[in-house]
Amino acid sequence: MSMFNDTRVKSSVFLLTGIPGQEAAHIWISIPFCSIYVVSMVGNTVILFIVKTDPSLHEPMYIFLSMLALTDLGLSISTVPTVMGIFWFNVQEISFTACFTQLFFIHALSFIESSVLLSMAFDRYVAICNPLRYASILTTPRIAKMGLAFMLRGVLLIFPLPFLLKRFQYCKANVLSHSYCLHQEVMKMACSDIRVNSIYGLFVIVSTVGMDSLLILLSYVMILRAVLSIASQEERLKALNTCVSHICAVLLFYTPMIGLSIVHRFGKDLSPVVQILMGYVYLLVPPLMNPIVYSVKTKQIRAQMVKTFFK
């Protein structure tokens, strides 16, 4: 008997979703997705390699960039098995343990990335507003402590979620609307009171992404004030140009995240395909675009890439 025939039968798996109505074309749809993953992984690996091998790039800005690349690499690795499993082999089933593990890594890495983007905003603030103390404020030991703090914050805040989800009984048709597991979706599949998860999830979002985005905005308000006080227009443009890559990274990360959240909460009348595509944009676009943006906009990274791979 199918587990969907009786809504009170306890389920043992979740079913992931590819692109509804396009199942016959999944093998063709997999080509751009596979290309995105390959470019993302290669791009972020190249950034890590370039920064590690070039002593002139062992500066705070590039160390933070390495943290961003490492986080993006982790996000790609966390989602590629289930996404490509659906498109290549039509494997929709995922066990509870695998699903909870995947959502732990996706959410923890997302919050770590938010922290890294905040640290990069702080780096630009110090470089522009207090350049004489830049080297003394952002020392290597202090950056290492910041990186450890980011990792601990992301891991510790997300650590309870799999255990909170594990205590539920899942007796509905557990069809998720994405090809990977997210906490806000999985908890809605439970036949139990999910208020604790909802409240804790909201607390985590506000204390990480909410706080980080406000502090990033505050950093740029202060940067803008400092830049406007510079007499030379050429110097103003030069100072602002050092922020362009980071601003792009911030927009690439927060815009899809906010868009997906709005669609989940208020987009009930929208086509499921819109929600699915927003989910892919949220997790696939930042790891793809960040290496490209920094390679194009950062002269030192671009020059070292040319030196390494084309000479």
mmCIF file of all heavy atoms in Angstrom, residues 51-91:
data_model
loop_
_atom_site.group_PDB
_atom_site.id
_atom_site.type_symbol
_atom_site.label_atom_id
_atom_site.label_comp_id
_atom_site.label_asym_id
_atom_site.label_seq_id
_atom_site.Cartn_x
_atom_site.Cartn_y
_atom_site.Cartn_z
ATOM 1 N N VAL A 51 45.006 32.735 -3.839
ATOM 2 C CA VAL A 51 45.296 33.449 -2.582
ATOM 3 C C VAL A 51 46.351 32.703 -1.774
ATOM 4 O O VAL A 51 47.237 33.319 -1.166
ATOM 5 C CB VAL A 51 44.000 33.642 -1.764
ATOM 6 C CG1 VAL A 51 44.314 34.234 -0.387
ATOM 7 C CG2 VAL A 51 43.022 34.555 -2.511
ATOM 8 N N LYS A 52 46.284 31.378 -1.772
ATOM 9 C CA LYS A 52 47.237 30.589 -0.980
ATOM 10 C C LYS A 52 48.652 30.659 -1.541
ATOM 11 O O LYS A 52 49.627 30.740 -0.786
ATOM 12 C CB LYS A 52 46.783 29.128 -0.927
ATOM 13 C CG LYS A 52 47.660 28.241 -0.035
ATOM 14 C CD LYS A 52 47.150 26.825 -0.005
ATOM 15 C CE LYS A 52 47.946 25.980 0.977
ATOM 16 N NZ LYS A 52 49.392 25.921 0.650
ATOM 17 N N THR A 53 48.770 30.642 -2.872
ATOM 18 C CA THR A 53 50.099 30.540 -3.481
ATOM 19 C C THR A 53 50.790 31.877 -3.700
ATOM 20 O O THR A 53 51.998 31.911 -3.930
ATOM 21 C CB THR A 53 50.010 29.805 -4.836
ATOM 22 O OG1 THR A 53 49.055 30.467 -5.681
ATOM 23 C CG2 THR A 53 49.580 28.357 -4.623
ATOM 24 N N ASP A 54 50.034 32.980 -3.651
ATOM 25 C CA ASP A 54 50.628 34.295 -3.887
ATOM 26 C C ASP A 54 50.794 35.041 -2.560
ATOM 27 O O ASP A 54 49.811 35.495 -1.967
ATOM 28 C CB ASP A 54 49.752 35.111 -4.829
ATOM 29 C CG ASP A 54 50.406 36.435 -5.228
ATOM 30 O OD1 ASP A 54 51.496 36.751 -4.703
ATOM 31 O OD2 ASP A 54 49.828 37.160 -6.062
ATOM 32 N N PRO A 55 52.029 35.182 -2.053
ATOM 33 C CA PRO A 55 52.253 35.854 -0.762
ATOM 34 C C PRO A 55 51.733 37.294 -0.735
ATOM 35 O O PRO A 55 51.349 37.790 0.325
ATOM 36 C CB PRO A 55 53.777 35.827 -0.615
ATOM 37 C CG PRO A 55 54.235 34.699 -1.485
ATOM 38 C CD PRO A 55 53.279 34.675 -2.633
ATOM 39 N N SER A 56 51.694 37.957 -1.905
ATOM 40 C CA SER A 56 51.228 39.343 -1.932
ATOM 41 C C SER A 56 49.729 39.455 -1.644
ATOM 42 O O SER A 56 49.223 40.541 -1.360
ATOM 43 C CB SER A 56 51.531 39.985 -3.289
ATOM 44 O OG SER A 56 50.742 39.405 -4.312
ATOM 45 N N LEU A 57 49.018 38.322 -1.715
ATOM 46 C CA LEU A 57 47.573 38.322 -1.451
ATOM 47 C C LEU A 57 47.244 37.853 -0.026
ATOM 48 O O LEU A 57 46.078 37.647 0.294
ATOM 49 C CB LEU A 57 46.850 37.421 -2.464
ATOM 50 C CG LEU A 57 46.952 37.838 -3.929
ATOM 51 C CD1 LEU A 57 46.186 36.866 -4.820
ATOM 52 C CD2 LEU A 57 46.430 39.255 -4.136
ATOM 53 N N HIS A 58 48.278 37.705 0.792
ATOM 54 C CA HIS A 58 48.038 37.284 2.178
ATOM 55 C C HIS A 58 47.701 38.510 3.034
ATOM 56 O O HIS A 58 48.361 38.805 4.034
ATOM 57 C CB HIS A 58 49.248 36.534 2.732
ATOM 58 C CG HIS A 58 49.493 35.233 2.042
ATOM 59 N ND1 HIS A 58 50.577 34.415 2.304
ATOM 60 C CD2 HIS A 58 48.770 34.576 1.069
ATOM 61 C CE1 HIS A 58 50.521 33.345 1.537
ATOM 62 N NE2 HIS A 58 49.435 33.423 0.787
ATOM 63 N N GLU A 59 46.660 39.207 2.617
ATOM 64 C CA GLU A 59 46.170 40.398 3.302
ATOM 65 C C GLU A 59 44.740 40.153 3.755
ATOM 66 O O GLU A 59 44.063 39.260 3.230
ATOM 67 C CB GLU A 59 46.226 41.608 2.360
ATOM 68 C CG GLU A 59 47.636 41.957 1.899
ATOM 69 C CD GLU A 59 47.641 43.125 0.920
ATOM 70 O OE1 GLU A 59 46.536 43.681 0.668
ATOM 71 O OE2 GLU A 59 48.711 43.472 0.398
ATOM 72 N N PRO A 60 44.240 40.940 4.724
ATOM 73 C CA PRO A 60 42.888 40.697 5.263
ATOM 74 C C PRO A 60 41.805 40.564 4.203
ATOM 75 O O PRO A 60 40.993 39.643 4.253
ATOM 76 C CB PRO A 60 42.659 41.925 6.152
ATOM 77 C CG PRO A 60 44.020 42.320 6.604
ATOM 78 C CD PRO A 60 44.927 42.023 5.448
ATOM 79 N N MET A 61 41.797 41.475 3.224
ATOM 80 C CA MET A 61 40.749 41.451 2.199
ATOM 81 C C MET A 61 40.697 40.110 1.471
ATOM 82 O O MET A 61 39.619 39.551 1.225
ATOM 83 C CB MET A 61 40.997 42.581 1.197
ATOM 84 C CG MET A 61 40.043 42.602 0.022
ATOM 85 S SD MET A 61 40.462 43.948 -1.121
ATOM 86 C CE MET A 61 39.316 43.603 -2.456
ATOM 87 N N TYR A 62 41.868 39.571 1.130
ATOM 88 C CA TYR A 62 41.919 38.333 0.374
ATOM 89 C C TYR A 62 41.733 37.112 1.267
ATOM 90 O O TYR A 62 41.259 36.058 0.802
ATOM 91 C CB TYR A 62 43.230 38.262 -0.399
ATOM 92 C CG TYR A 62 43.397 39.448 -1.318
ATOM 93 C CD1 TYR A 62 44.332 40.445 -1.033
ATOM 94 C CD2 TYR A 62 42.587 39.600 -2.436
ATOM 95 C CE1 TYR A 62 44.457 41.550 -1.851
ATOM 96 C CE2 TYR A 62 42.710 40.702 -3.265
ATOM 97 C CZ TYR A 62 43.641 41.680 -2.964
ATOM 98 O OH TYR A 62 43.758 42.776 -3.775
ATOM 99 N N ILE A 63 42.095 37.222 2.529
ATOM 100 C CA ILE A 63 41.819 36.122 3.469
ATOM 101 C C ILE A 63 40.310 35.972 3.657
ATOM 102 O O ILE A 63 39.771 34.857 3.654
ATOM 103 C CB ILE A 63 42.513 36.378 4.826
ATOM 104 C CG1 ILE A 63 44.033 36.367 4.638
ATOM 105 C CG2 ILE A 63 42.104 35.314 5.850
ATOM 106 C CD1 ILE A 63 44.823 36.771 5.869
ATOM 107 N N PHE A 64 39.613 37.103 3.788
ATOM 108 C CA PHE A 64 38.154 37.051 3.877
ATOM 109 C C PHE A 64 37.548 36.510 2.581
ATOM 110 O O PHE A 64 36.558 35.756 2.611
ATOM 111 C CB PHE A 64 37.581 38.438 4.179
ATOM 112 C CG PHE A 64 37.829 38.908 5.580
ATOM 113 C CD1 PHE A 64 38.369 40.167 5.820
ATOM 114 C CD2 PHE A 64 37.526 38.104 6.663
ATOM 115 C CE1 PHE A 64 38.598 40.617 7.110
ATOM 116 C CE2 PHE A 64 37.740 38.539 7.963
ATOM 117 C CZ PHE A 64 38.280 39.804 8.194
ATOM 118 N N LEU A 65 38.144 36.874 1.448
ATOM 119 C CA LEU A 65 37.675 36.351 0.169
ATOM 120 C C LEU A 65 37.838 34.828 0.117
ATOM 121 O O LEU A 65 36.969 34.121 -0.393
ATOM 122 C CB LEU A 65 38.443 37.003 -0.981
ATOM 123 C CG LEU A 65 38.132 36.500 -2.401
ATOM 124 C CD1 LEU A 65 36.650 36.654 -2.718
ATOM 125 C CD2 LEU A 65 38.987 37.243 -3.427
ATOM 126 N N SER A 66 38.930 34.316 0.674
ATOM 127 C CA SER A 66 39.142 32.864 0.745
ATOM 128 C C SER A 66 38.070 32.196 1.598
ATOM 129 O O SER A 66 37.579 31.109 1.261
ATOM 130 C CB SER A 66 40.523 32.559 1.339
ATOM 131 O OG SER A 66 41.539 33.032 0.501
ATOM 132 N N MET A 67 37.700 32.845 2.705
ATOM 133 C CA MET A 67 36.625 32.313 3.546
ATOM 134 C C MET A 67 35.316 32.248 2.768
ATOM 135 O O MET A 67 34.572 31.265 2.865
ATOM 136 C CB MET A 67 36.440 33.196 4.789
ATOM 137 C CG MET A 67 37.587 33.179 5.770
ATOM 138 S SD MET A 67 37.205 34.251 7.195
ATOM 139 C CE MET A 67 38.764 34.185 8.087
ATOM 140 N N LEU A 68 35.046 33.296 1.988
ATOM 141 C CA LEU A 68 33.831 33.324 1.175
ATOM 142 C C LEU A 68 33.851 32.202 0.144
ATOM 143 O O LEU A 68 32.845 31.505 -0.057
ATOM 144 C CB LEU A 68 33.700 34.683 0.484
ATOM 145 C CG LEU A 68 32.431 34.919 -0.342
ATOM 146 C CD1 LEU A 68 31.205 34.979 0.558
ATOM 147 C CD2 LEU A 68 32.545 36.204 -1.162
ATOM 148 N N ALA A 69 34.989 32.015 -0.518
ATOM 149 C CA ALA A 69 35.116 30.963 -1.531
ATOM 150 C C ALA A 69 34.950 29.577 -0.905
ATOM 151 O O ALA A 69 34.295 28.695 -1.481
ATOM 152 C CB ALA A 69 36.475 31.070 -2.231
ATOM 153 N N LEU A 70 35.520 29.383 0.280
ATOM 154 C CA LEU A 70 35.416 28.090 0.961
ATOM 155 C C LEU A 70 33.963 27.797 1.350
ATOM 156 O O LEU A 70 33.479 26.667 1.207
ATOM 157 C CB LEU A 70 36.305 28.105 2.209
ATOM 158 C CG LEU A 70 36.572 26.755 2.885
ATOM 159 C CD1 LEU A 70 37.280 25.811 1.926
ATOM 160 C CD2 LEU A 70 37.409 26.953 4.141
ATOM 161 N N THR A 71 33.254 28.821 1.810
ATOM 162 C CA THR A 71 31.843 28.659 2.173
ATOM 163 C C THR A 71 31.001 28.350 0.946
ATOM 164 O O THR A 71 30.135 27.465 0.974
ATOM 165 C CB THR A 71 31.320 29.937 2.860
ATOM 166 O OG1 THR A 71 32.182 30.289 3.936
ATOM 167 C CG2 THR A 71 29.923 29.723 3.411
ATOM 168 N N ASP A 72 31.246 29.064 -0.146
ATOM 169 C CA ASP A 72 30.508 28.811 -1.390
ATOM 170 C C ASP A 72 30.773 27.402 -1.915
ATOM 171 O O ASP A 72 29.870 26.736 -2.426
ATOM 172 C CB ASP A 72 30.895 29.845 -2.452
ATOM 173 C CG ASP A 72 30.212 31.182 -2.235
ATOM 174 O OD1 ASP A 72 29.154 31.214 -1.576
ATOM 175 O OD2 ASP A 72 30.725 32.209 -2.726
ATOM 176 N N LEU A 73 32.006 26.958 -1.774
ATOM 177 C CA LEU A 73 32.362 25.599 -2.196
ATOM 178 C C LEU A 73 31.574 24.581 -1.373
ATOM 179 O O LEU A 73 31.042 23.596 -1.913
ATOM 180 C CB LEU A 73 33.864 25.392 -2.014
ATOM 181 C CG LEU A 73 34.559 24.275 -2.793
ATOM 182 C CD1 LEU A 73 34.338 24.434 -4.287
ATOM 183 C CD2 LEU A 73 36.046 24.266 -2.471
ATOM 184 N N GLY A 74 31.478 24.824 -0.067
ATOM 185 C CA GLY A 74 30.710 23.934 0.807
ATOM 186 C C GLY A 74 29.237 23.895 0.447
ATOM 187 O O GLY A 74 28.609 22.825 0.453
ATOM 188 N N LEU A 75 28.662 25.056 0.099
ATOM 189 C CA LEU A 75 27.251 25.114 -0.295
ATOM 190 C C LEU A 75 27.002 24.309 -1.574
ATOM 191 O O LEU A 75 25.997 23.592 -1.688
ATOM 192 C CB LEU A 75 26.816 26.562 -0.493
ATOM 193 C CG LEU A 75 26.417 27.334 0.766
ATOM 194 C CD1 LEU A 75 26.231 28.811 0.452
ATOM 195 C CD2 LEU A 75 25.142 26.759 1.376
ATOM 196 N N SER A 76 27.911 24.431 -2.533
ATOM 197 C CA SER A 76 27.758 23.672 -3.784
ATOM 198 C C SER A 76 27.825 22.172 -3.519
ATOM 199 O O SER A 76 27.003 21.398 -4.025
ATOM 200 C CB SER A 76 28.842 24.071 -4.787
ATOM 201 O OG SER A 76 28.690 25.416 -5.190
ATOM 202 N N ILE A 77 28.785 21.760 -2.704
ATOM 203 C CA ILE A 77 28.949 20.332 -2.394
ATOM 204 C C ILE A 77 27.743 19.802 -1.620
ATOM 205 O O ILE A 77 27.351 18.643 -1.779
ATOM 206 C CB ILE A 77 30.257 20.116 -1.605
ATOM 207 C CG1 ILE A 77 31.463 20.410 -2.505
ATOM 208 C CG2 ILE A 77 30.341 18.697 -1.056
ATOM 209 C CD1 ILE A 77 32.788 20.459 -1.770
ATOM 210 N N SER A 78 27.125 20.647 -0.793
ATOM 211 C CA SER A 78 25.973 20.214 0.021
ATOM 212 C C SER A 78 24.740 19.914 -0.819
ATOM 213 O O SER A 78 23.924 19.075 -0.443
ATOM 214 C CB SER A 78 25.628 21.295 1.052
ATOM 215 O OG SER A 78 26.686 21.511 1.943
ATOM 216 N N THR A 79 24.580 20.609 -1.942
ATOM 217 C CA THR A 79 23.355 20.451 -2.730
ATOM 218 C C THR A 79 23.521 19.592 -3.981
ATOM 219 O O THR A 79 22.536 19.056 -4.489
ATOM 220 C CB THR A 79 22.818 21.833 -3.167
ATOM 221 O OG1 THR A 79 23.826 22.529 -3.908
ATOM 222 C CG2 THR A 79 22.421 22.659 -1.953
ATOM 223 N N VAL A 80 24.744 19.445 -4.481
ATOM 224 C CA VAL A 80 24.937 18.761 -5.768
ATOM 225 C C VAL A 80 24.453 17.304 -5.763
ATOM 226 O O VAL A 80 23.883 16.853 -6.765
ATOM 227 C CB VAL A 80 26.416 18.859 -6.235
ATOM 228 C CG1 VAL A 80 27.360 18.072 -5.349
ATOM 229 C CG2 VAL A 80 26.540 18.412 -7.687
ATOM 230 N N PRO A 81 24.595 16.518 -4.667
ATOM 231 C CA PRO A 81 24.157 15.113 -4.747
ATOM 232 C C PRO A 81 22.662 14.960 -5.020
ATOM 233 O O PRO A 81 22.263 14.131 -5.851
ATOM 234 C CB PRO A 81 24.533 14.547 -3.365
ATOM 235 C CG PRO A 81 25.588 15.460 -2.843
ATOM 236 C CD PRO A 81 25.225 16.809 -3.366
ATOM 237 N N THR A 82 21.820 15.735 -4.320
ATOM 238 C CA THR A 82 20.376 15.572 -4.500
ATOM 239 C C THR A 82 19.879 16.247 -5.783
ATOM 240 O O THR A 82 19.010 15.698 -6.468
ATOM 241 C CB THR A 82 19.603 16.123 -3.290
ATOM 242 O OG1 THR A 82 20.009 17.482 -3.032
ATOM 243 C CG2 THR A 82 19.863 15.286 -2.050
ATOM 244 N N VAL A 83 20.415 17.416 -6.106
ATOM 245 C CA VAL A 83 19.973 18.114 -7.321
ATOM 246 C C VAL A 83 20.291 17.283 -8.563
ATOM 247 O O VAL A 83 19.421 17.016 -9.403
ATOM 248 C CB VAL A 83 20.619 19.508 -7.423
ATOM 249 C CG1 VAL A 83 20.294 20.161 -8.764
ATOM 250 C CG2 VAL A 83 20.149 20.418 -6.291
ATOM 251 N N MET A 84 21.536 16.854 -8.677
ATOM 252 C CA MET A 84 21.917 16.086 -9.859
ATOM 253 C C MET A 84 21.365 14.668 -9.805
ATOM 254 O O MET A 84 21.150 14.046 -10.852
ATOM 255 C CB MET A 84 23.444 16.064 -10.004
ATOM 256 C CG MET A 84 24.079 17.453 -10.167
ATOM 257 S SD MET A 84 23.235 18.530 -11.363
ATOM 258 C CE MET A 84 23.406 17.593 -12.876
ATOM 259 N N GLY A 85 21.118 14.148 -8.598
ATOM 260 C CA GLY A 85 20.498 12.829 -8.466
ATOM 261 C C GLY A 85 19.107 12.807 -9.079
ATOM 262 O O GLY A 85 18.701 11.821 -9.712
ATOM 263 N N ILE A 86 18.361 13.903 -8.901
ATOM 264 C CA ILE A 86 17.023 14.003 -9.493
ATOM 265 C C ILE A 86 17.104 14.126 -11.007
ATOM 266 O O ILE A 86 16.425 13.420 -11.752
ATOM 267 C CB ILE A 86 16.259 15.202 -8.893
ATOM 268 C CG1 ILE A 86 15.827 14.889 -7.458
ATOM 269 C CG2 ILE A 86 15.039 15.543 -9.739
ATOM 270 C CD1 ILE A 86 15.155 16.043 -6.762
ATOM 271 N N PHE A 87 17.954 15.027 -11.491
ATOM 272 C CA PHE A 87 18.012 15.286 -12.934
ATOM 273 C C PHE A 87 18.643 14.134 -13.719
ATOM 274 O O PHE A 87 18.249 13.873 -14.854
ATOM 275 C CB PHE A 87 18.774 16.582 -13.203
ATOM 276 C CG PHE A 87 18.024 17.817 -12.800
ATOM 277 C CD1 PHE A 87 18.620 18.794 -12.028
ATOM 278 C CD2 PHE A 87 16.706 18.004 -13.185
ATOM 279 C CE1 PHE A 87 17.924 19.935 -11.654
ATOM 280 C CE2 PHE A 87 16.002 19.134 -12.829
ATOM 281 C CZ PHE A 87 16.613 20.102 -12.053
ATOM 282 N N TRP A 88 19.621 13.463 -13.125
ATOM 283 C CA TRP A 88 20.305 12.382 -13.841
ATOM 284 C C TRP A 88 19.620 11.023 -13.667
ATOM 285 O O TRP A 88 19.494 10.257 -14.611
ATOM 286 C CB TRP A 88 21.758 12.280 -13.378
ATOM 287 C CG TRP A 88 22.661 13.290 -13.999
ATOM 288 C CD1 TRP A 88 22.401 14.073 -15.081
ATOM 289 C CD2 TRP A 88 23.986 13.634 -13.571
ATOM 290 N NE1 TRP A 88 23.479 14.886 -15.355
ATOM 291 C CE2 TRP A 88 24.469 14.643 -14.460
ATOM 292 C CE3 TRP A 88 24.812 13.203 -12.551
ATOM 293 C CZ2 TRP A 88 25.737 15.200 -14.327
ATOM 294 C CZ3 TRP A 88 26.074 13.752 -12.406
ATOM 295 C CH2 TRP A 88 26.535 14.753 -13.294
ATOM 296 N N PHE A 89 19.220 10.709 -12.424
ATOM 297 C CA PHE A 89 18.760 9.347 -12.121
ATOM 298 C C PHE A 89 17.326 9.288 -11.600
ATOM 299 O O PHE A 89 16.855 8.213 -11.235
ATOM 300 C CB PHE A 89 19.705 8.708 -11.092
ATOM 301 C CG PHE A 89 21.155 8.788 -11.461
ATOM 302 C CD1 PHE A 89 22.028 9.622 -10.755
ATOM 303 C CD2 PHE A 89 21.652 8.060 -12.533
ATOM 304 C CE1 PHE A 89 23.368 9.709 -11.094
ATOM 305 C CE2 PHE A 89 22.993 8.144 -12.878
ATOM 306 C CZ PHE A 89 23.850 8.974 -12.168
ATOM 307 N N ASN A 90 16.645 10.456 -11.532
ATOM 308 C CA ASN A 90 15.276 10.527 -11.015
ATOM 309 C C ASN A 90 15.171 9.951 -9.598
ATOM 310 O O ASN A 90 14.169 9.306 -9.248
ATOM 311 C CB ASN A 90 14.301 9.804 -11.958
ATOM 312 C CG ASN A 90 12.860 10.212 -11.699
ATOM 313 O OD1 ASN A 90 12.579 11.347 -11.315
ATOM 314 N ND2 ASN A 90 11.935 9.272 -11.877
ATOM 315 N N VAL A 91 16.187 10.161 -8.792
ATOM 316 C CA VAL A 91 16.184 9.698 -7.400
ATOM 317 C C VAL A 91 15.547 10.791 -6.552
ATOM 318 O O VAL A 91 16.184 11.795 -6.226
ATOM 319 C CB VAL A 91 17.616 9.395 -6.903
ATOM 320 C CG1 VAL A 91 17.584 8.983 -5.438
ATOM 321 C CG2 VAL A 91 18.248 8.309 -7.751
#
